Amino acid sequence: MKRRAFIAGLPVFVAACGAERVWAPDEIVTAKAYRHDGPPRLTLITMKNTGSDSGAHTALMINASQRVLWDPAGTFKSDSIPERNDVLFGITPLVEQFYISYHSRVTYYTVIQELDVSPEVAEAALRSVMAYGAVPKANCTRATSQIMQGLPGFGGIKVTLFPNNLADQFATYPGVRTREYRENDSDDRTEAAQTINAALTEAQ
């Protein structure tokens, strides 16, 4: 799938790398909250190098009383996507696909691992990411593995700095479903950002 073709109908949205302390107001978070009708679920998202298969980034999507995306050690900013530190709200299927598409290009692909969990586990994960705070660069997997280790039934998860290690650990849990997503767009994120900004300006 070509990112430029996909972006044409996107909502207001910008993505970038880094860590930043952000706290969206209550009224905006409440207004933008998205409740997915699927089962309570943890979705571990791992970006891998297409040449070496080495892990480059870790994120966690949580479907609980609302669906959020925990994107540690990165920023994911837009006027229409409220953020509290590294927790992004309003993760509709379109925003989910855009997040995966944005990170998938000629040099990187994305591994998506889904596991349906109890409502109690999903809510515990939601509370944990909300309480964690902004994550420094290069600590995305460490922070995510710490959160997962603290969830009921996931005490066997070992804290790690390596995205592939966490993905391999998660894969051992019964019921995990794994898929890959690849694109062949340019590795030039500046070019992608310009395309996105043009789409966002048009959508204003």
Side-chain angles (χ1 to χ4, degrees):
M1 173 187 237
K2 280 286 186 181
R3 182 181 299 113
R4 287 151 197 70
F6 177 77
I7 286 170
L10 286 179
V12 179
F13 191 99
V14 174
C17 293
E20 184 180 354
R21 297 185 182 280
V22 179
W23 196 261
D26 288 347
E27 60 272 20
I28 296 178
V29 170
T30 300
K32 293 293 185 177
Y34 172 71
R35 292 168 177 80
H36 193 272
D37 59 5
R41 178 177 294 169
L42 301 179
T43 302
L44 185 66
I45 303 171
T46 306
M47 292 69 174
K48 295 190 178 187
N49 186 286
T50 55
S52 65
D53 279 336
S54 60
H57 186 57
T58 296
L60 182 67
M61 188 169 65
I62 302 163
N63 191 33
S65 53
Q66 62 175 303
R67 191 160 76 162
V68 303
L69 178 62
W70 160 252
D71 188 36
T75 62
F76 203 68
K77 291 190 173 181
S78 165
D79 290 341
S80 68
I81 308 294
E83 175 187 355
R84 286 187 169 176
N85 293 324
D86 290 313
V87 181
L88 308 173
F89 300 85
I91 307 303
T92 65
L94 185 64
V95 173
E96 173 195 1
Q97 179 57 40
F98 174 63
Y99 179 84
I100 294 170
S101 175
Y102 183 84
H103 288 88
S104 305
R105 52 197 189 276
V106 68
T107 50
Y108 291 93
Y109 68 100
T110 304
V111 176
I112 302 103
Q113 296 170 287
E114 300 175 333
L115 179 63
D116 295 346
V117 296
S118 69
E120 292 76 18
V121 169
E123 288 301 322
L126 178 59
R127 290 193 300 269
S128 293
V129 297
M130 285 293 297
Y132 197 93
V135 177
K137 288 184 179 181
N139 282 270
C140 57
T141 309
R142 178 187 61 80
T144 304
S145 57
Q146 285 178 331
I147 285 169
M148 295 180 72
Q149 184 187 64
L151 299 178
F154 291 88
I157 293 285
K158 293 180 173 59
V159 175
T160 178
L161 287 168
F162 304 105
N164 283 0
N165 182 275
L166 181 57
D168 290 344
Q169 291 187 66
F170 192 54
T172 66
Y173 283 80
V176 171
R177 302 174 299 279
T178 302
R179 60 187 172 91
E180 294 182 1
Y181 182 87
R182 296 176 185 261
E183 288 190 6
N184 59 3
D185 279 7
S186 166
D187 195 39
D188 185 353
R189 283 201 167 195
T190 302
E191 180 183 344
Q194 289 172 345
T195 305
I196 293 166
N197 281 328
L200 301 183
T201 300
E202 193 173 320
Q204 291 281 358

